[in-house]
Amino acid sequence: MHIYPTTTEALQQRKAGQLDAVLTTRSEIQSVLRGDPSFPVQGVPFERLPRAVWAIGMAV
């Protein structure tokens, strides 16, 4: 396991075939891989990530 300084760097490594997987949010994946037919984006449920909504908390 390696922790990259940015999601973009990790996804570029995935795209180059240097990584088997990257765990990140869908919006970050789409920002790097959008339009690339080699990397279709599909939903995969993951219990610890919010589903189709923003998780927002605020203390006043």
Side-chain angles (χ1 to χ4, degrees):
M1 182 172 78
H2 181 81
I3 298 174
Y4 285 83
T6 68
T7 300
T8 300
E9 184 179 341
L11 288 166
Q12 288 171 340
Q13 290 293 312
R14 172 65 191 111
K15 204 171 180 180
Q18 301 299 313
L19 297 174
D20 293 324
V22 175
L23 178 61
T24 187
T25 63
R26 184 182 188 111
S27 62
E28 290 177 306
I29 293 170
Q30 288 175 330
S31 73
V32 176
L33 302 179
R34 180 183 299 137
D36 189 331
S38 299
F39 296 95
V41 177
Q42 300 175 10
V44 177
F46 186 70
E47 292 300 320
R48 295 180 186 223
L49 291 177
R51 298 178 193 201
V53 296
W54 287 90
I56 299 174
M58 181 187 308
V60 179

